[in-house]
Amino acid sequence: MNEAYEALNDLLVKLFNNILTYEERALLTEDFKDISLNDMHVIEAIGINQKRNMSSIAAVLEVTVGTLTIAMNNLVKKGYVKRSRSAKDRRVVLVSLTDKGEQAYHHHLDFHDGMIKDIMKRLDGEKLDVLVEALHSIQDYFTVEVKNEK
Amino acid sequence: MNEAYEALNDLLVKLFNNILTYEERALLTEDFKDISLNDMHVIEAIGINQKRNMSSIAAVLEVTVGTLTIAMNNLVKKGYVKRSRSAKDRRVVLVSLTDKGEQAYHHHLDFHDGMIKDIMKRLDGEKLDVLVEALHSIQDYFTVEVKNEK
DNA sequence: AGATATACTTTGATTATCAAAATATTTTTT
DNA sequence: AAAAAATATTTTGATAATCAAAGTATATCT
């Protein structure tokens, strides 16, 4: 086979298989070792300076609300998240980040920021554009081709 | 912020968070819906036309041998994998793929092949080189920068 | 031969996940 | 306004993935 094919295959397979492990290692350092990468993604989905209800967060994360309840119990217990009831509609549970939760949120953001800046540092403007284009292709592949197969 | 920064951030975050879900959807169709993406990666690690022992597979997958035993029990029960004892060293368990296991292996390979060809189709030779270079940068970032932080 | 090392499995615990049942509250219908 | 239906969330029961530590069988070393 073609050289580019081999290189792409090798790189993408490795990246796919390990990206979450990499992220986990990078993210769950000293201060935040009592939570999982999953928890971090829940924190990311809650967002800063806002209260969000369970259903909308579950939809973003593409998990059932039941699954999210369990994750949230954990995060509340560990002091990352606060729960409250909506006054308007008392069925609705509103969650928001505590100070500790906001720190974790920023830690995650900083990780992404560091990674992107590092990648940008290594590639000049034109190459960067190509990377963006290529990543779009990958995204397209998954959102168009793959979804249709299903 | 910079435009490329935003685009990269958006694309990488989405890809990171969803890549495994995408792969799972694409992979676990009709014929192979009784196994998980995880199982598929175990099958990939066993490989075709060979017998491998538990420890080496666990090392490749970066899980404990105990974890692998459980996955393997499942795959044997479902008919994807065969176990045998090494004649040389009777402590060693050798695993290999059954016909059904090899079919799954190829299905996985075909998925990767399809994806790579699709991406290549969309990018001309020069752009392809840039993509490969960029992916190397990402890999570098994780294997050098991140590991040192740990 | 006895002690130590190695390869693997088993056990007990935790986390993530889902579907379905249960609970509480709101909205709609009659 | 009471009853029925819908909605938001939690709880329950099951399964999968994971680890560390204990247990079992076999091989190697002294």
Side-chain angles (χ1 to χ4, degrees):
Chain A
M1 256 303 149
N2 184 322
E3 201 180 315
Y5 178 95
E6 291 301 337
L8 255 191
N9 192 25
D10 187 56
L11 282 164
L12 284 178
V13 169
K14 274 189 197 146
L15 272 180
F16 280 25
N17 289 345
N18 300 318
I19 210 89
L20 292 178
T21 314
Y22 290 157
E23 188 173 0
E24 188 156 9
R25 278 185 197 146
L27 218 44
L28 306 179
T29 51
E30 337 79 70
D31 303 333
F32 303 101
K33 59 173 179 280
D34 62 335
I35 55 174
S36 69
L37 182 58
N38 225 315
D39 290 333
M40 201 55 108
H41 287 148
V42 174
I43 287 170
E44 186 188 13
I46 296 172
I48 231 115
N49 284 327
Q50 59 182 335
K51 296 180 175 186
R52 300 199 51 188
N53 68 316
M54 296 293 286
S55 311
S56 71
I57 298 170
V60 168
L61 296 173
E62 295 189 52
V63 296
T64 63
V65 188
T67 296
L68 189 61
T69 295
I70 290 167
M72 224 52 105
N73 287 346
N74 240 309
L75 285 169
V76 168
K77 199 165 59 191
K78 290 178 181 159
Y80 288 83
V81 167
K82 286 174 292 200
R83 267 194 179 102
S84 62
R85 284 274 167 188
S86 161
K88 270 190 210 146
D89 183 340
R90 307 207 19 80
R91 289 169 305 181
V92 173
V93 167
L94 295 172
V95 298
S96 55
L97 298 178
T98 62
D99 286 352
K100 194 172 166 192
E102 298 204 343
Q103 276 170 39
Y105 182 92
H106 283 122
H107 182 60
H108 189 196
L109 215 66
D110 289 349
F111 163 75
H112 280 152
D113 186 63
M115 178 183 68
I116 304 228
K117 287 195 173 138
D118 187 90
I119 291 167
M120 288 179 76
K121 202 175 62 196
R122 296 168 195 240
L123 301 169
D124 66 34
E126 220 169 283
K127 288 181 177 176
L128 215 50
D129 293 341
V130 176
L131 176 60
V132 170
E133 188 186 340
L135 290 174
H136 269 301
S137 293
I138 297 177
Q139 185 107 70
D140 273 9
Y141 177 72
F142 283 117
T143 46
V144 181
E145 307 274 332
V146 170
K147 273 193 179 155
N148 288 347
E149 275 171 35
K150 190 73 207 200
Chain B
M1 260 296 151
N2 183 323
E3 200 181 316
Y5 179 95
E6 292 300 337
L8 255 190
N9 193 25
D10 187 55
L11 281 164
L12 284 178
V13 169
K14 273 189 197 146
L15 271 179
F16 280 25
N17 289 345
N18 300 318
I19 209 87
L20 292 178
T21 313
Y22 289 158
E23 189 173 1
E24 189 156 9
R25 279 184 197 148
L27 218 45
L28 307 179
T29 50
E30 338 78 70
D31 301 335
F32 302 103
K33 59 172 181 281
D34 61 336
I35 56 175
S36 69
L37 182 57
N38 226 316
D39 290 333
M40 202 55 110
H41 287 149
V42 173
I43 288 171
E44 185 187 14
I46 296 172
I48 231 117
N49 283 327
Q50 60 182 336
K51 294 179 174 186
R52 301 199 51 187
N53 69 317
M54 295 293 288
S55 312
S56 70
I57 298 170
V60 169
L61 295 173
E62 297 188 54
V63 296
T64 63
V65 188
T67 296
L68 188 62
T69 295
I70 289 167
M72 225 49 106
N73 287 346
N74 240 308
L75 285 170
V76 168
K77 200 165 59 190
K78 289 179 181 160
Y80 288 83
V81 167
K82 285 175 293 201
R83 266 191 179 105
S84 62
R85 284 271 166 190
S86 161
K88 270 189 210 146
D89 184 338
R90 310 210 14 85
R91 288 170 306 181
V92 173
V93 168
L94 296 171
V95 297
S96 56
L97 298 178
T98 61
D99 287 351
K100 194 172 165 191
E102 298 204 342
Q103 276 169 39
Y105 182 93
H106 282 122
H107 182 60
H108 190 195
L109 214 68
D110 289 348
F111 163 74
H112 281 151
D113 186 63
M115 177 184 69
I116 304 220
K117 287 198 174 137
D118 188 89
I119 291 166
M120 288 179 76
K121 200 175 64 195
R122 298 172 195 237
L123 301 168
D124 66 35
E126 220 170 281
K127 288 182 176 174
L128 215 48
D129 293 341
V130 175
L131 175 60
V132 170
E133 187 185 341
L135 290 175
H136 269 300
S137 294
I138 297 176
Q139 185 108 67
D140 273 10
Y141 177 72
F142 283 116
T143 48
V144 181
E145 308 273 332
V146 170
K147 273 194 178 151
N148 287 347
E149 275 172 34
K150 189 73 204 199

